[in-house]
Amino acid sequence: VIGFIYGYITEQFGWTVYIVMAGFALSCLLTLPPWPMYRRNPLKWLPVQESGSEEKKAADRKPKRHSKS
């Protein structure tokens, strides 16, 4: 948003692109690396469940029939 506003005020589309790219680079720098501050409280995921019941449900489904036009 800042890039678009600044570019509109100065009437220079190039500055808009530079500021948006800088914001993107800053957001990538803050979120992509595994920073220790983000790893203090890891998420506890649910355990993996067996998929035997899903195979049975898929076999019980009726195939869809498409009418020809």
Side-chain angles (χ1 to χ4, degrees):
V1 173
I2 294 170
F4 287 115
I5 293 171
Y6 184 77
Y8 181 77
I9 291 171
T10 60
E11 297 178 0
Q12 293 289 323
F13 185 71
W15 281 104
T16 301
V17 173
Y18 293 142
I19 292 173
V20 169
M21 288 188 333
F24 177 74
L26 179 65
S27 66
C28 287
L29 180 67
L30 292 176
T31 57
L32 291 179
W35 297 105
M37 62 185 167
Y38 296 137
R39 298 182 69 164
R40 288 183 189 155
N41 300 316
L43 295 174
K44 294 180 177 144
W45 297 93
L46 294 174
V48 176
Q49 297 179 353
E50 295 297 323
S51 63
S53 61
E54 290 179 14
E55 292 174 1
K56 185 177 181 182
K57 289 179 185 177
D60 292 341
R61 293 184 190 147
K62 293 180 181 178
K64 294 182 180 179
R65 297 179 187 239
H66 299 286
S67 61
K68 294 183 180 180
S69 299

